[in-house]
Amino acid sequence: MCAVWNGTVPAEAERTVVEGNHHFPPELLYGEWFTDSRARSLCFRKGVARYHTVSVGGRTLVNGAWYHPHPSPLARRIRGHVAFPGPGVAVEAAVTREGR
């Protein structure tokens, strides 16, 4: 799986954890494009989510990625994994390094 935004691949993995969205292992993100955000949200099933802003090629997607540092026991498999909610970052089945 790979995440694509602004013609670039900020994350890719052979396997993701699917819990509503594809969640990428944090070590497989290209960290130079992610900065911590102060935003938080609460999911009844997963717990508190924290966000990253994604900046690639001069464009910024505020709160474009989220993760659950301490998920509920029901969602423990996604601990620390990063997903891309909403519009903006496309998650595709083909793994590519194009644009990297």
Side-chain angles (χ1 to χ4, degrees):
M1 299 303 295
C2 65
V4 180
W5 188 67
N6 196 25
T8 304
V9 178
E12 63 183 324
E14 286 187 27
R15 295 181 191 178
T16 60
V17 177
V18 178
E19 182 73 40
N21 295 297
H22 287 275
H23 291 74
F24 291 79
E27 64 274 9
L28 298 179
L29 287 129
Y30 300 120
E32 68 267 23
W33 294 318
F34 295 87
T35 56
D36 289 335
S37 169
R38 297 184 69 169
R40 307 283 188 273
S41 65
L42 178 62
C43 171
F44 175 74
R45 184 177 181 334
K46 299 175 190 171
V48 175
R50 299 181 74 173
Y51 290 78
H52 293 301
T53 291
V54 184
S55 298
V56 175
R59 293 185 59 202
T60 299
L61 184 59
V62 176
N63 302 330
W66 67 10
Y67 66 102
H68 293 80
H70 306 288
S72 70
L74 294 173
R76 66 184 172 273
R77 296 180 325 131
I78 64 166
R79 183 182 186 136
H81 285 55
V82 177
F84 300 93
V89 178
V91 177
E92 301 174 353
V95 175
T96 178
R97 288 197 175 266
E98 183 176 323
R100 172 76 177 121

